[in-house]
Amino acid sequence: MAIMVDSVFPIGAILGEGPLWSRGALWFVDIKRQRVHRFDPATGAAKAWDAPDQVGWVLPVRGGGMIAGLKNGLHRFDPASGAFAPLADPEPHYPGNRLNDATTDRHGRIWFGSMDDDESDLTGALYCCVGGMITHSGLPEVAITNGPAVSADARVLYHTDTLGRVIWRVPIHDDSSLGTPERHIAIEDGAGHPDGSVIDAEGCLWVSLFGGWGVRRYDPAGALMRTIDFPVANVTKIAFGGPDLDIAYATTARKGLDAAALAAQPLAGNVFAFDPGVAGLAVHEAKI
């Protein structure tokens, strides 16, 4: 049976990304418009904040406020005032990079990646932020890092090489260092590129496909379980939301679509929702 996918927020984002459910609402960003969004599906209320540069993600912080990944590093973000305060730049040696995607784990660690803003040079890296201290993961650099997702027990990291169309499964040690990566999922030619990913309550990985017209669910062994078709090509990431975390919200993008494609995809860039048939995991607040 086909799953109904509905446009629930007609935002028309150029590059909608980083959705997460936190503090009773859906948060996400439009990277290219340099904007943070908050949307309450229950009431339709929405609010947006302008960021000082391209913003790849925001995450809630333990004790209040949020942390944001901008082109030039980590910033504190205060939704009450709209202010951004720089914290740390892990890549001053790569001025052409920007931060791209992130997640937190049960210990409050932030796993985040960078990418070449021109999407070609192998300068993107994965980092871990523990208590405000940033360390390089040691994984090989790629053009676009994406979709870091962490298992519920914080012992496995899923790391995406978008242009390589590979998702790696990596053990996480108690000291936050990583073990040997194993190729977990390879996206075949013609199916788009793996973008953001998230783990559900059953330990399965949901992978959004940029240029692939949908979202896929893979079991813990990496086998494809189901595909959710979308009416737009560029699906960037999903988040489990609602009071019971049983609604999937997806960000999408207009980026890269020419006039003909935009005419054929009038809903491109909107936020969508569908019933995933499974609940998600609560987002952990970052400890910084």
Side-chain angles (χ1 to χ4, degrees), residues 50-116:
D50 290 327
D53 208 328
Q54 294 184 76
V55 53
W57 47 267
V58 294
L59 292 166
V61 171
R62 197 173 299 178
M66 307 191 88
I67 187 168
L70 273 65
K71 186 178 187 301
N72 61 345
L74 303 182
H75 286 59
R76 276 274 199 178
F77 167 52
D78 179 11
S81 66
F84 288 80
L87 285 176
D89 181 3
E91 295 185 335
H93 54 294
Y94 284 145
N97 272 14
R98 65 172 174 82
L99 300 190
N100 190 48
D101 202 359
T103 191
T104 49
D105 66 21
R106 64 192 297 265
H107 302 298
R109 297 176 295 202
I110 305 171
W111 300 90
F112 68 96
S114 63
M115 61 171 281
D116 172 29

Side-chain angles (χ1 to χ4, degrees), residues 2 29-30 46 56-57 82 101 115 129 136 147 152 155 188 190 201 207 260 266 273:
V29 301
D30 186 341
W57 47 267
D101 202 359
M115 61 171 281
C129 180
H136 191 292
R155 294 193 175 276
E188 70 275 14
V207 179

